[in-house]
């Protein structure tokens, strides 16, 4: 489904933020990337849909290298990749249903997209997705009035509107309270199990990773230091993933 | 004494010393400037005579009531010029700000060119704009309109650009991630988010331009500024006073309305 080979990235041309990262993601599974802050988790995730341009490597999504695509091709490829964010990144003055409908912008003409011209099938689907995440009664609420957990569920509905083959989740629960965390993680888990969507999640919380992941990838200092099934994630392995790197002392804060 | 306390005392003493130094410098600057200009500070004590004369002559009287019709007509005209110039400039400024904002621009050089252009426009004083344009466009409303337009274009481009840059790239990226095109991101993401901020800048500029339009009219020989000049020079002080009063009334009204709209929007 998704294979990343030898990915490397440096922001300043000197210090490498990723060095030779390789892993793959299987369909219908929850794959969690864990690792200390600044290890490169966000860079990996955003390289996949090329929000961040990496320097070297290969990102095979459905056998197509995302790095080789031109603008039109990239736009089409992105429309099959859902993404949710720590800060939700909804358009706050717009209503929930408008934000969900943004998920189909990738398939629309410029004109239709600019003037919010959606067909009935799309509108029905948006309502159905809001129902699926339990927010049908909030469809016409401005997103700025929703709680964090509700916003993230709108974010998930927006991603689902894309009919994604994979959903990338960049710290989806880092700003949420424990109860919303469980709601959001349960929904994400359900997407993998029931809908066969690959779910790739960046996380800080090891206990959540253990509970929800099928497969865990540990990243430290821009390198893959663990890549195995969740059952193999021993305490020793976790200590290894979160060990401080000598030359990063101080800048590497362990957040639990 | 507690060494920590000593440190705190030392800190505050240093701060007090710095403040006193600034005050002394300001005082010296004033003394220097007065000396250079031959300005006698004690003449400020006789200021009340001038003010008394002003009040006596500029209070509108029975005779100035007859001018009310002309004044209100010109006032309305000036207001329209200010609103037209601001709204036209806002459209242009939004376009420039979107292609020039660092977070959206295609090339950083485009951003610098637009930044330079807007800075040039707004750093030429409105009076200079009016005088320059007067040569090519003569004494009419268009001259005033253009002077306000150029200055406002420069100001709003910069203000809009900063609004867009403050908005950041995260939400833009979120829409790009769905496969949205550049224009779709602008219309579906950026504009809804910044609409309220843009609106309050435009309202602020309308207020400002109503004030400036008076001054510009004085130079370009149009609108309320012109009739003020006319009454003033023909010694009809009462009528001139009425003009000033009506301008104040208009500016305050515009400000109140713009506050009201601002509250309704947010």
């Amino acid at each position: 489904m998704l294979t990343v080979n030898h990915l490397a990235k440096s922001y300043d041309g000197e210090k490498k933020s990723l060095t030779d990262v390789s892993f793959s993601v299987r369909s219908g599974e929850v794959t969690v990337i864990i690792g200390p802050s600044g290890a490169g988790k966000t860079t990996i995730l955003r390289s996949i849909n090329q929000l961040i341009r990496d320097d070297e490597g290969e990102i095979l999504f459905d056998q197509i290298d995302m790095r080789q695509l031109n603008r039109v091709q990239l736009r089409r490829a992105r429309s099959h990749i859902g993404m949710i964010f720590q800060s939700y990144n909804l358009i706050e003055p717009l209503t929930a249903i408008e934000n969900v409908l943004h998920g189909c912008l990738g398939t629309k003409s410029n004109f239709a997209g600019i003037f919010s011209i959606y067909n009935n099938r799309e509108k029905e689907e948006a309502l159905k997705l809001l129902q699926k995440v339990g927010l049908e009664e909030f469809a016409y609420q401005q997103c700025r009035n929703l709680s964090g957990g509700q916003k993230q569920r709108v974010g998930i509905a927006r991603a689902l509107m894309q009919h994604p083959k994979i959903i990338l989740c960049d710290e989806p629960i880092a700003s949420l309270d424990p109860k919303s965390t469980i709601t959001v993680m349960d929904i994400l888990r359900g997407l993998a199990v029931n809908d066969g969507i690959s779910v790739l999640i960046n996380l800080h919380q090891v206990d959540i990773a253990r509970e929800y992941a099928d497969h865990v990838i540990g990243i430290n200092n821009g390198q893959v230091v663990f890549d195995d099934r969740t059952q193999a994630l021993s305490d020793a392995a976790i200590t290894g993933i979160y060990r401080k790197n000598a030359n990063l002392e101080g800048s590497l804060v362990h957040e639990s | 004494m507690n060494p920590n306390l000593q440190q705190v005392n030392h800190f505050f003493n240093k701060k007090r010393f710095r403040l006193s130094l600034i005050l002394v410098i300001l005082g010296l600057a004033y003394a220097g400037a007065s000396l250079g200009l031959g300005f006698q500070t004690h003449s400020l004590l006789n200021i009340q005579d001038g003010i008394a004369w002003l009040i006596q002559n500029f209070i509108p009287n029975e005779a100035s009531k007859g001018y009310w019709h002309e004044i209100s007509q010109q006032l309305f005209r000036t207001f329209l010029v200010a609103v037209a110039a601001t709204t036209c400039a806002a459209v242009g400024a939004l376009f420039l700000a979107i292609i020039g904002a660092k977070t959206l621009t295609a090339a950083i050089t485009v951003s610098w060119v637009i930044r330079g252009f807007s800075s040039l426009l707004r750093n030429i004083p409105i009076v200079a704009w009016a005088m320059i344009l007067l040569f090519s466009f003569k004494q009419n409303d268009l001259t005033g309109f253009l002077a306000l337009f150029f200055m406002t274009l420069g100001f709003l481009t910069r203000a809009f650009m900063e609004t867009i840059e403050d908005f950041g790239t995260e939400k833009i990226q979120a829409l790009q991630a769905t496969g949205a095109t550049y224009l779709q991101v602008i219309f579906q993401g950026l504009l809804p988010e910044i609409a309220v901020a843009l609106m309050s800048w435009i309202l602020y500029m309308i207020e400002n331009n109503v004030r400036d339009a008076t001054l510009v009219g004085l130079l370009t020989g149009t609108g309320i500024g012109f009739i003020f000049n006319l009454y003033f020079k023909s010694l009809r002080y009462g009528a001139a006073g009425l003009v000033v009063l009506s301008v104040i009334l208009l500016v305050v009204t515009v400000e109140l309305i713009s506050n009201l709209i601002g509250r309704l929007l947010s």
Side-chain angles (χ1 to χ4, degrees):
Chain A
M1 148 101 292
L2 176 75
T3 308
V4 173
N5 288 323
H6 310 297
L7 193 68
K9 167 80 187 173
S10 167
Y11 286 98
D12 55 7
E14 276 174 36
K15 198 193 142 294
K16 288 228 164 190
S17 118
L18 293 182
T19 46
D20 194 18
V21 169
S22 302
F23 64 91
S24 56
V25 173
R26 275 172 265 190
S27 295
E29 277 194 3
V30 176
T31 307
V32 168
I33 304 177
I34 56 172
S37 301
K41 302 192 296 291
T42 296
T43 309
I44 293 173
L45 216 65
R46 293 187 178 205
S47 293
I48 292 170
N49 59 4
Q50 295 287 290
L51 287 178
I52 290 176
R53 293 287 175 158
D54 42 78
D55 302 336
E56 284 165 48
E58 198 178 39
I59 296 159
L60 295 174
F61 171 64
D62 266 356
Q63 277 81 51
I64 299 166
D65 189 356
M66 294 291 289
R67 302 177 70 254
Q68 309 297 332
L69 302 180
N70 66 31
R71 248 169 64 168
V72 179
Q73 291 168 324
L74 179 62
R75 186 187 170 214
R76 197 170 311 129
R78 277 177 176 167
S79 74
H80 298 299
I81 302 176
M83 190 163 195
I84 65 172
F85 302 82
Q86 174 179 352
S87 46
Y88 327 119
N89 288 348
L90 303 176
I91 306 306
E92 306 255 326
L94 298 183
T95 58
I97 189 158
E98 285 172 292
N99 271 286
V100 175
L101 282 165
H102 282 167
C104 58
L105 286 177
T107 61
K108 299 204 89 67
S109 70
N110 247 330
F111 181 82
I114 287 170
F115 295 104
S116 310
I117 301 168
Y118 303 105
N119 61 38
N120 286 338
R121 188 186 52 74
E122 287 161 339
K123 288 174 199 160
E124 272 172 42
E125 190 179 357
L127 281 174
K128 221 157 58 194
L129 287 172
L130 279 172
Q131 211 166 3
K132 182 174 175 137
V133 296
L135 290 174
E136 66 270 36
E137 62 211 280
F138 295 96
Y140 304 105
Q141 287 266 333
Q142 282 188 316
C143 285
R144 67 154 78 101
N145 299 327
L146 300 181
S147 73
Q150 290 169 333
K151 283 180 188 174
Q152 197 56 291
R153 282 187 274 158
V154 174
I156 294 173
R158 174 171 71 184
L160 289 176
M161 194 72 204
Q162 295 175 240
H163 303 135
K165 294 176 184 161
I166 183 168
I167 294 187
L168 310 172
C169 311
D170 195 6
E171 306 277 359
I173 53 169
S175 315
L176 298 181
D177 60 82
K179 196 163 161 264
S180 306
T181 296
I182 292 168
T183 315
V184 166
M185 289 307 296
D186 283 346
I187 292 174
L188 292 175
R189 173 96 204 145
L191 297 179
V193 174
N194 305 326
D195 304 313
I197 299 170
S198 310
V199 180
L200 180 61
I201 312 176
N202 277 351
L203 276 186
H204 268 123
Q205 301 88 332
V206 176
D207 49 329
I208 301 277
R210 275 191 161 144
E211 201 178 330
Y212 286 93
D214 296 304
H215 197 95
V216 175
I217 294 162
I219 302 285
N220 186 304
N221 197 20
Q223 282 172 313
V224 176
V225 293
F226 181 90
D227 184 357
D228 208 338
R229 308 306 287 172
T230 310
Q231 299 86 290
L233 188 67
S234 61
D235 288 344
I238 291 169
T239 316
I241 294 167
Y242 282 94
R243 75 171 190 282
K244 278 193 180 179
N245 190 301
N247 54 32
L248 277 175
E249 200 81 49
S251 70
L252 210 85
V253 187
H254 185 314
E255 289 169 37
S256 61
Chain B
M1 209 192 311
N2 182 339
N4 281 336
L5 190 64
Q6 220 169 353
Q7 205 183 355
V8 172
N9 282 337
H10 180 66
F11 167 76
F12 277 106
N13 283 336
K14 222 162 83 180
K15 212 169 160 178
R16 228 166 272 142
F17 174 72
R18 226 176 293 156
L19 189 65
S20 324
L21 198 68
I22 291 170
L23 287 176
V24 169
I25 289 173
L26 285 177
L28 285 176
Y30 174 75
S34 309
L35 220 63
L37 288 172
F39 180 70
Q40 290 159 322
T41 306
H42 59 81
S43 62
L44 279 176
L45 295 174
N46 301 323
I47 204 167
Q48 71 274 20
D49 297 344
I51 289 173
W53 183 88
L54 206 70
I55 290 170
Q56 267 164 21
N57 286 281
F58 273 86
I59 292 288
N61 49 26
E62 278 301 308
S64 44
K65 269 189 192 158
Y67 295 101
W68 180 243
H69 182 67
E70 195 181 5
I71 290 174
S72 59
Q73 232 174 7
Q74 293 298 337
L75 194 65
F76 186 59
R77 213 177 147 134
T78 307
F79 173 72
L80 289 186
V81 168
V83 172
T86 314
T87 45
C88 286
V91 174
L94 184 59
F95 176 73
L96 288 177
I98 287 173
I99 57 173
K102 278 186 189 147
T103 48
L104 290 174
T105 191
I108 197 76
T109 31
V110 175
S111 177
W112 285 117
V113 169
I114 291 176
R115 233 161 260 267
F117 175 69
S118 80
S119 154
L120 183 78
L121 289 186
R122 85 177 168 275
N123 285 322
I124 296 177
I126 190 87
V127 177
W129 268 123
M131 306 278 268
I132 295 166
L133 292 164
L134 204 52
F135 286 111
S136 353
F137 296 97
K138 309 299 175 227
Q139 294 199 336
N140 62 49
D141 280 330
L142 184 67
T143 311
F145 171 88
L146 286 175
L148 291 172
F149 174 83
F150 285 128
M151 201 272 297
T152 309
L153 181 66
F155 186 91
L156 285 182
T157 300
R158 188 55 198 266
F160 289 178
M161 226 189 246
E162 261 163 36
T163 307
I164 293 173
E165 280 165 9
D166 283 346
F167 173 62
T169 54
E170 271 277 305
K171 292 183 182 196
I172 291 170
Q173 286 196 335
L175 285 189
Q176 282 173 341
T178 67
T181 61
Y182 178 80
L183 286 176
Q184 288 172 345
V185 172
I186 303 284
F187 280 86
Q188 290 290 338
L190 180 73
L191 292 183
E193 283 275 0
I194 63 172
V196 172
L198 297 191
M199 208 51 218
S200 51
W201 275 119
I202 292 171
L203 289 171
Y204 167 77
M205 247 2 238
I206 288 178
E207 272 173 49
N208 214 40
N209 280 346
V210 168
R211 261 188 304 264
D212 280 353
T214 312
L215 180 67
V216 169
L218 209 137
L219 295 164
T220 61
T222 52
I224 195 80
F226 171 69
I227 54 170
F228 173 78
N229 201 18
L230 185 73
Y231 298 156
F232 183 77
K233 289 198 170 143
S234 54
L235 309 179
R236 284 175 276 180
Y237 295 132
L242 191 62
V243 172
V244 174
L245 218 62
S246 66
V247 170
I248 293 172
L249 206 70
L250 177 66
V251 171
V252 171
T253 312
V254 170
E255 201 175 323
L256 287 177
I257 292 173
S258 105
N259 284 347
L260 189 74
I261 297 175
R263 257 205 307 278
L264 287 177
L265 282 176
S266 60

